Amino acid sequence: MWFFRSPTVIFGDEALTYLATLPIHRALIVTDRDLRATDLPEKVRRALPEGAQSMVLGDVGPEPDLGEMTAHLEEIRRFVPDWIVGVGGGSALDTAKILFVLYERPDLTVYDTTPLQPLGLRAKSRLVAIPTTSGTGSECTWAAVLTERAERRKHELASPEIIPDYAILDPEMVLALPLEQTRNTAVDAITHAIEGYVSRWKNPYSDAMSEKALELILGNLRTVVLHPDLREARTAVHIGASMAGLSFSNSQIGLAHALGHALGARYKTPHGKAVGIFLPLVVEFNRSECQERFDRLNRYFPDSVRAQTLEDSLRSLFRAIGLDSTVAALGVAHPDYLASLDELAELAAESTGLVTNPKDCGTAELKELLSRAYGAEA
Ligand SMILES: [Zn+2]
């Protein structure tokens, strides 16, 4: 027995206006610092039903840790929201999910958010996710990533109950996304689609989501990078990214995420950039287990970047969109990186991505992949 889990997805032009049809009386809007300078949180607030009260929590930073996520919990409890609306990239949406758990169940800690424990959420509120990047898939998934900065560690929390009730994909929310974030988050989505497609838990539903996600993202990403305000191409990448989220949420991530989380925890590398650094190397490593599947995915690359193998097509795509995909390009000094290989391998070994990766990977192989990811020799 298996499941395909998904929020109700509202997508396309004017999707945001759907908010006005929901029975929202008191909305907690959770958003991030970068968005405070834009009109997007206000757009969401204006889209609420007439007469609805709102409280905006607008200081989620990148890769938030537990302290930052829960700093305003008491204030939230006093506000008594009946809907929690996450607006932003992965950090804001993951924070909304974690606040949803802790608001609904003050008796739990965040670490009780595991797939095996029924949480009994939705006694007080419901959850909406409105992504402003096209990549993390958080609006569709049952996972939330929590950083423990003091320990340089990332936790992957998961429960089917934290899948948002609604995911709203409105192109208006991503048209002004800066180039750097457009690239990084798209590469994250490509990684979700590929890792979901070869995960040990892959299934016909996740397969379909991965293939269509890649068709939409790969077919439109270069256009989006060259002409960021082309609505049609933005919409395609935005929908593709959520499909990639549905793929991995219903199958699982793999080794590129295990390694990317380790790098991100140690060097604060943006998530999409971190997983992108490892993706071609991981595809190469996994090839012996998934030759035929990788060949099938390779067909989705446009002629201008498609190479013989999936890993080389990825490298050529990354070059074409101007993505630096080595650790060296992050500005990390080689001796410092070499000194941290043991720690990075240890962090990666703890990730669930290792369990569902199609090929077993021991410590020596993790270190080899980490070491090759540096790129240029010092
Ligand atoms: Zn990811």
Side-chain angles (χ1 to χ4, degrees):
M1 183 171 66
W2 209 244
F3 299 90
F4 180 76
R5 299 181 200 268
S6 168
T8 296
V9 182
I10 299 101
F11 59 94
D13 287 338
E14 310 292 325
L16 196 58
T17 62
Y18 186 76
L19 272 182
T21 70
L22 295 172
I24 301 175
H25 299 102
R26 299 177 71 77
L28 169 70
I29 297 175
V30 181
T31 187
D32 60 54
R33 269 176 231 148
D34 288 348
L35 285 185
R36 263 199 317 212
T38 74
D39 61 349
L40 296 182
E42 183 52 25
K43 266 189 183 151
V44 171
R45 222 178 53 77
R46 280 201 308 264
L48 294 173
E50 221 178 301
Q53 305 283 305
S54 60
M55 168 180 167
V56 179
L57 188 71
D59 64 351
V60 179
E63 327 258 320
D65 74 10
L66 187 59
E68 290 169 287
M69 282 179 167
T70 57
H72 301 277
L73 202 50
E74 280 313 310
E75 217 178 313
I76 293 166
R77 286 178 180 142
R78 280 197 299 274
F79 176 68
V80 200
D82 58 359
W83 287 76
I84 295 179
V85 183
V87 182
S91 299
L93 301 186
D94 285 3
T95 301
K97 288 173 175 175
I98 289 187
L99 289 173
F100 178 52
V101 173
L102 297 177
Y103 169 63
E104 289 275 327
R105 291 287 309 270
D107 55 316
L108 295 183
T109 78
V110 70
Y111 304 105
D112 295 315
T113 313
T114 67
L116 302 175
Q117 172 157 337
L119 300 175
L121 306 183
R122 294 176 173 75
K124 301 175 188 169
S125 61
R126 299 179 77 189
L127 183 63
V128 182
I130 307 175
T132 62
T133 65
S134 305
T136 70
S138 180
E139 69 279 5
C140 286
T141 72
W142 62 327
V145 177
L146 170 71
T147 301
E148 286 217 89
R149 207 157 288 147
E151 296 175 36
R152 289 175 168 171
R153 208 169 274 273
K154 290 199 173 209
H155 290 279
E156 295 150 21
L157 307 170
S159 160
E161 292 181 57
I162 63 172
I163 296 174
D165 295 282
Y166 296 96
I168 298 182
L169 310 175
D170 190 321
E172 201 63 42
M173 305 301 281
V174 287
L175 278 176
L177 185 66
L179 176 62
E180 173 76 4
Q181 275 173 284
T182 299
R183 270 198 297 242
N184 289 348
T185 51
V187 168
D188 187 24
I190 291 168
T191 311
H192 295 154
I194 294 176
E195 297 215 290
Y197 198 68
V198 295
S199 149
R200 288 188 204 246
W201 294 355
K202 63 186 181 289
N203 58 75
Y205 285 89
S206 60
D207 284 354
M209 288 294 154
S210 281
E211 290 198 35
K212 191 68 189 178
L214 284 180
E215 185 188 320
L216 289 170
I217 298 167
L218 297 174
N220 290 280
L221 183 55
R222 285 194 74 192
T223 308
V224 165
V225 166
L226 292 172
H227 310 284
D229 48 359
L230 276 187
R231 186 176 283 265
E232 211 174 309
R234 279 279 189 194
T235 305
V237 173
H238 204 37
I239 292 173
S242 80
M243 287 182 156
L246 282 170
S247 170
F248 89 87
S249 187
N250 285 282
S251 56
Q252 259 303 322
I253 46 166
L255 193 47
H257 269 79
L259 292 161
H261 280 165
L263 191 74
R266 177 71 177 76
Y267 293 106
K268 297 196 181 134
T269 319
H271 174 72
K273 199 175 215 80
V275 296
I277 287 173
F278 295 105
L279 183 63
L281 294 168
V282 166
V283 166
E284 218 174 286
F285 174 78
N286 284 334
R287 168 161 296 289
S288 57
E289 301 301 313
C290 358
Q291 177 79 42
E292 190 263 327
R293 284 198 159 235
F294 283 160
D295 287 347
R296 210 179 310 156
L297 293 186
N298 198 29
R299 295 204 294 262
Y300 290 102
F301 282 77
D303 292 345
S304 56
V305 292
R306 190 172 50 243
Q308 283 294 323
T309 61
L310 179 59
E311 56 270 36
D312 283 343
S313 295
L314 285 165
R315 289 182 179 116
S316 128
L317 173 75
F318 292 173
R319 269 195 304 276
I321 60 170
L323 181 89
D324 287 323
S325 53
T326 62
V327 175
L330 301 175
V332 175
H334 199 225
D336 179 41
Y337 185 65
L338 286 180
S340 66
L341 285 186
D342 284 330
E343 184 192 338
L344 290 170
E346 203 177 302
L347 285 172
E350 286 172 11
S351 165
T352 53
L354 234 61
V355 179
T356 43
N357 190 68
K359 186 172 170 182
D360 289 334
C361 185
T363 309
E365 289 146 318
L366 284 173
K367 282 173 70 174
E368 159 83 19
L369 287 164
L370 283 160
S371 149
R372 286 183 60 202
Y374 189 80
E377 283 308 310

